Amino acid sequence: MVVVRSPLKRFGVVDVSGPSMAPTLADGDQVVVRYGAAVRPGDVVVLRHPFQQDLLVIKRAVERRPGGGWWVLGDNPFNGTGDSTDYGAVPGELLLATAVLRLRPREEGQRSLRARLSWALSAVRPLRADPSASSRLRAR
C-alpha cells in the first residue's frame, strides 16, 4: 500500500506575538512554516517550550550542541528572556518547523491603491537561514 501525503500539509501559518524576534519579526506578523524541515544554524524555528509543552515559541536556531540539542535565541538583544539562556539547549525533537516566509498584516485604513501596492510589495518577505545572525547571537 502506498500512502500519498499532500505536500501542502507540511506547511502552516503561525501568528507571532511579542517582541523577542524584532527586528526580524514583529508582534502581529504571521509566519509560513514548514513542518519537519531540516534545521540549519541561522534558521528561524518554531519549537515547543521545554518546560511548558503546550507553549509554542519562535526563535533563531543558533548552533547545534553536542548531544543533539539546539541553542536558540531571540533576535532582540533587549528582550533576553524565554530562550536558551533560560532553559539551555533544546532537544531536537522539540523543534517542530522552520520559518519560510514572513507575512506583515495590512494596516487599517489602507484604502488607496498606492497604499495597498506599497503593502503588497513589502508584506511578504522570505526568511532564509542567516548564519551571520547566528554568529552575532553567539557573541552575545
Side-chain angles (χ1 to χ4, degrees):
M1 180 165 109
V2 176
V3 177
V4 178
R5 288 190 172 167
S6 168
L8 296 179
K9 290 190 179 193
R10 291 188 272 161
F11 291 89
V13 177
V14 176
D15 294 322
V16 176
S17 64
S20 73
M21 284 299 292
T24 305
L25 301 173
D27 186 47
D29 284 349
Q30 291 184 315
V31 178
V32 176
V33 297
R34 183 173 180 197
Y35 293 101
V39 177
R40 298 174 298 171
D43 278 340
V44 175
V45 295
V46 175
L47 60 122
R48 289 195 185 281
H49 191 285
F51 302 138
Q52 297 174 297
Q53 297 287 311
D54 59 335
L55 177 63
L56 297 181
V57 181
I58 297 178
K59 298 292 177 191
R60 188 171 301 277
V62 177
E63 67 181 352
R64 190 175 192 101
R65 291 292 171 101
W70 280 91
W71 195 258
V72 297
L73 295 172
D75 285 359
N76 186 344
F78 303 108
N79 185 33
T81 60
D83 56 25
S84 287
T85 57
D86 290 335
Y87 43 73
V90 177
E93 62 268 10
L94 294 182
L95 274 65
L96 305 176
T98 58
V100 179
L101 292 172
R102 185 225 48 198
L103 306 172
R104 195 181 82 201
R106 199 165 66 100
E107 293 178 16
E108 294 293 321
Q110 287 183 332
R111 297 184 189 271
S112 73
L113 179 59
R114 183 176 181 174
R116 288 182 185 206
L117 287 174
S118 175
W119 169 81
L121 292 173
S122 66
V124 178
R125 185 179 75 204
L127 292 170
R128 296 186 179 93
D130 185 357
S132 67
S134 179
S135 58
R136 184 177 64 252
L137 291 170
R138 271 195 310 269
R140 260 204 254 162

